């Protein structure tokens, strides 16, 4: 049986949910790499611990800005790392189905970049979901009902506000913080 995974790509942290297990991982979205060779040295919590404790040849970066991919190749490696860390070798060769949350109002190009990075990380099937729609569903709100529901998500890089009704976004606003 295939593994179903949900990933919230946040500017400050990345959460990974595995169906049947719940949230299995919450780590900073930080990557430490060698400036000269461009080789990744650490990802997640291990990379965060290196900040301020490394020589000048090691740099720590965030591959996501305001929840959107800023570096495709690094994001692909980060996703691969987190998927492997979450499910390990328990897939028995079967690639997982992965749903990834993106901020409301991101461009189709940004959605495609996230999908491409997720496929490259080993997904069999990828679904891109707006974060606030996922938040509403997770909170038990019936988004198909013809009634407006305002959702506010205060994140590490931006605050997103949206009104959801009849299975979609009526209006949304993202404020960089």
């Amino acid at each position: 049986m295939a593994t179903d995974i949900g990933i919230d790509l946040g500017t400050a942290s990345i959460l990974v949910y595995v169906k049947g297990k719940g949230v299995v991982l919450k780590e900073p979205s930080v990557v430490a790499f060698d400036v000269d060779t461009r080789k990744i040295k650490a990802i997640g919590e291990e990379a965060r611990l290196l900040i301020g404790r490394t020589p000048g040849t090691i740099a720590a970066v965030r591959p996501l800005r305001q929840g959107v991919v800023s570096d495709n190749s690094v994001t692909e490696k980060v996703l691969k790392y987190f998927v492997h860390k979450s499910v390990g070798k328990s897939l028995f060769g079967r690639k997982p189905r992965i749903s990834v949350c993106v901020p409301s109002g991101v461009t189709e190009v940004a959605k495609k970049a996230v999908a491409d990075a997720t496929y490259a990380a080993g997904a069999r099937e990828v679904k891109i979901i707006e974060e606030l729609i996922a938040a509403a569903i997770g909170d038990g709100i019936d988004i198909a009902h013809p009634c407006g529901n305002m959702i506010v998500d205060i994140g590490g890089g931006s605050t997103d506000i949206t009104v959801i009704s009849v299975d979609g976004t009526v209006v949304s606003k993202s404020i960089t913080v």
Side-chain angles (χ1 to χ4, degrees):
M1 192 158 151
T3 301
D4 292 332
I5 300 172
I7 300 175
D8 181 8
L9 294 175
T11 304
S13 63
I14 295 175
L15 281 94
V16 179
Y17 169 89
V18 176
K19 186 176 181 181
K21 295 181 182 178
V23 175
V24 295
L25 199 66
K26 180 183 180 183
E27 290 199 26
S29 54
V30 179
V31 177
F33 68 95
D34 188 306
V35 177
D36 299 329
T37 64
R38 301 285 297 168
K39 184 177 177 186
I40 293 178
K41 297 291 186 185
I43 297 174
E45 182 62 25
E46 190 179 328
R48 187 192 66 78
L49 292 172
L50 292 177
I51 295 174
R53 296 180 174 94
T54 60
T57 59
I58 306 291
V61 297
R62 294 190 180 273
L64 302 154
R65 287 194 180 84
Q66 297 166 11
V68 180
V69 173
S70 62
D71 186 325
N72 285 357
S73 64
V74 172
T75 301
E76 174 190 326
K77 290 174 184 160
V78 167
L79 284 168
K80 229 179 238 182
Y81 170 81
F82 284 126
V83 168
H84 179 72
K85 191 170 180 179
S86 300
V87 293
K89 298 190 185 279
S90 66
L91 297 176
F92 302 112
R94 182 96 188 217
K95 293 182 175 185
R97 295 184 302 185
I98 301 177
S99 296
V100 183
C101 291
V102 296
S104 300
V106 298
T107 65
E108 289 302 314
V109 172
K111 286 180 184 177
K112 181 160 178 17
V114 171
D116 290 346
T118 308
Y119 277 118
R124 172 174 48 103
E125 184 181 329
V126 175
K127 298 282 187 204
I128 304 298
I129 303 169
E130 288 186 19
E131 286 175 349
L132 297 175
I133 299 253
I137 293 168
D139 198 36
I141 295 172
D142 180 8
I143 64 168
H145 195 273
C147 172
N149 293 286
M150 181 162 59
I151 312 293
V152 179
D153 177 22
I154 302 170
S158 64
T159 295
D160 297 317
I161 306 151
T162 193
V163 175
I164 298 170
S165 180
V166 192
D167 289 330
T169 300
V170 176
V171 64
S172 68
K173 178 77 174 172
S174 183
I175 304 165
T176 302
V177 292

